[in-house]
Amino acid sequence: MDSELFERDRHVTFLQMMYQLLPSPYQSQEINRLTLAYFVISGLDLLNALDRLVDKDAVATWVLSLQAHPRSTAELNNGQFYGFHGSRAAQFPPEDNDNGALSPSVSNLASTYCALALLKIVGYNLSSIDSESILTSMRNLQQPDGSFMPIHTGAETDLRFIYCAAAICHMLGNWSGMDKEKAKEYILKCQSYDGGFGLVPGAESHGGATYCGVTSLRLMGFIEDEILSKNAPSSVIDVPLLLDWCVQRQAADGGFQGRPNKPSDTCYAFWIASVLKILGGHKFIDKKALHGFLQTCQSKYGGFSKFPGELPDLYHSYYGLTAFSLLEEPGLNPLCVELGMTAIAAMGI
């Protein structure tokens, strides 16, 4: 839908539909239901439509029901992570193929981030939850090199999960769940020769990884907000090179690409523009051109697609809305780029 107008009412209707009943193509994402709910409810909050469309108490009750709890405090150091499950199905323990016994079900860092974000968005007081179990067991996931696994059973380790851990600690107001210095050292090893960040040391620079690395450093207090305007004599990261890499990601069509020689994609208007916002370099964004690209990804059904002319999906719809918030679209609530929610929700108001 190539329209010069931001179709707010269509986007509200699109997310309202998703809140009431997810279409069948999302069946394969059932295990990530918490994440899908985060996209819907945070999106409605950005659109200033949360209060009239969402039962906040019901959302909070549902989210809290997905937290994993140890049977005793002794289990907090048994290697498992007691965060939040991604869905009701994820709470069912899988059967051990060898002897038929039930193995412990798995909670994960990404779902725990989404759960806490959802609770903040609907106004739930996070001091009321069992944060000790989350933070104490989360230390089990941090590796000797400072990186994090997403689950206790072992998986890849990269900047995505450091970001989740940092956001969790920030939202809970307690940094006992991670070694910040070790995490910082790992992040710094991920900055590439071109200024961007790869998911792991030595990997190609990527828009999402750059967001995770820079935002984690900001949440942990290792870089200042809008550092470009502070005349800081030095920084733990190479800011000029990072700024150059980010600015070069805005393509000729006005959108942002995640890597060089890739097509523009709606979601990178959030990932990379957010980094520029944190650095104080958002003035270098060609806002008119970005606005124009996003309009070509706006669907006549509401929501946004990954590329122009395609059907909308929940992931790109949410990040399309966050991008418009960064562009200060009238009628949208301001965004806290570090936590991926409205500034009001982030402040707990």
Side-chain angles (χ1 to χ4, degrees):
M1 181 178 182
D2 196 354
S3 169
E4 294 183 0
L5 298 175
F6 176 75
E7 301 286 347
R8 179 187 178 278
D9 290 344
R10 291 180 188 268
H11 299 313
V12 171
T13 300
F14 177 82
L15 291 180
Q16 183 181 13
M17 176 189 72
M18 295 291 189
Y19 175 64
Q20 294 170 344
L21 183 66
L22 285 171
S24 59
Y26 289 91
Q27 282 182 323
S28 62
Q29 294 295 314
E30 202 284 329
I31 198 169
N32 297 317
R33 187 175 288 267
L34 252 180
T35 302
L36 299 176
Y38 159 73
F39 291 147
V40 171
I41 291 170
S42 189
L44 288 171
D45 195 23
L46 282 168
L47 289 162
N48 207 18
L50 187 67
D51 290 339
R52 66 184 179 88
L53 295 177
V54 172
D55 185 336
K56 295 181 181 179
D57 290 338
V59 169
T61 298
W62 173 70
V63 172
L64 291 168
S65 74
L66 296 173
Q67 185 175 2
H69 296 281
R71 287 171 292 188
S72 67
T73 56
E75 288 191 337
L76 290 177
N77 293 308
N78 66 0
Q80 294 190 43
F81 175 52
Y82 294 99
F84 285 79
H85 298 278
S87 69
R88 187 70 66 221
Q91 287 181 303
F92 294 113
E95 184 174 293
D96 188 305
N97 291 328
D98 293 330
N99 55 25
L102 293 179
S103 304
S105 53
V106 177
S107 60
N108 65 81
L109 279 178
S111 294
T112 302
Y113 157 73
C114 289
L116 296 180
L118 275 168
L119 291 172
K120 282 185 73 69
I121 291 165
V122 299
Y124 186 84
N125 187 346
L126 293 185
S127 66
S128 302
I129 71 169
D130 179 11
S131 60
E132 181 183 357
S133 293
I134 296 172
L135 295 168
T136 301
S137 63
M138 193 168 79
R139 291 197 294 267
N140 299 326
L141 303 182
Q142 190 166 20
Q143 303 303 294
D145 64 0
S147 64
F148 272 83
M149 293 190 300
I151 55 178
H152 77 275
T153 53
E156 68 270 34
T157 59
D158 59 54
L159 289 184
R160 293 172 298 174
F161 310 118
I162 289 183
Y163 169 75
C164 289
I168 288 166
C169 289
H170 181 86
M171 285 189 281
L172 293 176
N174 186 334
W175 289 92
S176 66
M178 64 187 298
D179 185 326
K180 292 197 293 184
E181 285 293 334
K182 282 188 175 181
K184 178 189 75 171
E185 292 305 315
Y186 184 86
I187 294 170
L188 298 184
K189 291 175 183 176
C190 292
Q191 186 169 26
S192 183
Y193 69 92
D194 58 6
F197 287 74
L199 281 172
V200 297
E204 179 186 10
S205 296
H206 182 276
T210 300
Y211 170 87
C212 290
V214 173
T215 307
S216 296
L217 291 172
R218 174 71 193 120
L219 289 172
M220 291 188 289
F222 291 119
I223 59 174
E224 294 183 82
D225 190 31
E226 298 196 355
I227 192 170
L228 291 173
S229 64
K230 303 283 177 64
N231 294 317
S234 63
S235 175
V236 294
I237 58 175
D238 190 328
V239 175
L241 204 58
L242 172 61
L243 176 65
D244 182 64
W245 186 86
C246 288
V247 170
Q248 288 191 47
R249 298 286 68 75
Q250 188 163 20
D253 60 8
F256 278 93
Q257 57 185 192
R259 292 176 287 165
N261 301 315
K262 293 290 184 179
S264 298
D265 177 333
T266 296
C267 68
Y268 293 108
F270 168 77
W271 299 121
I272 295 177
S274 292
V275 174
L276 288 169
K277 176 77 171 176
I278 291 170
L279 296 177
H282 47 293
K283 61 186 176 184
F284 297 114
I285 297 172
D286 185 336
K287 294 183 178 180
K288 183 178 180 180
L290 178 57
H291 190 280
F293 172 78
L294 291 171
Q295 294 290 7
T296 67
C297 297
Q298 182 175 233
S299 171
K300 64 182 179 181
Y301 307 108
F304 292 83
S305 57
K306 177 183 178 75
F307 301 127
E310 297 187 352
L311 290 173
D313 65 82
L314 196 45
Y315 173 85
H316 290 92
S317 295
Y318 178 66
Y319 288 114
L321 294 175
T322 60
F324 269 104
S325 177
L326 284 169
L327 290 172
E328 300 179 337
E329 178 71 27
L332 286 179
N333 282 322
L335 180 71
C336 170
V337 298
E338 293 87 352
L339 293 178
M341 63 180 70
T342 62
I344 294 174
M347 291 185 289
I349 299 175

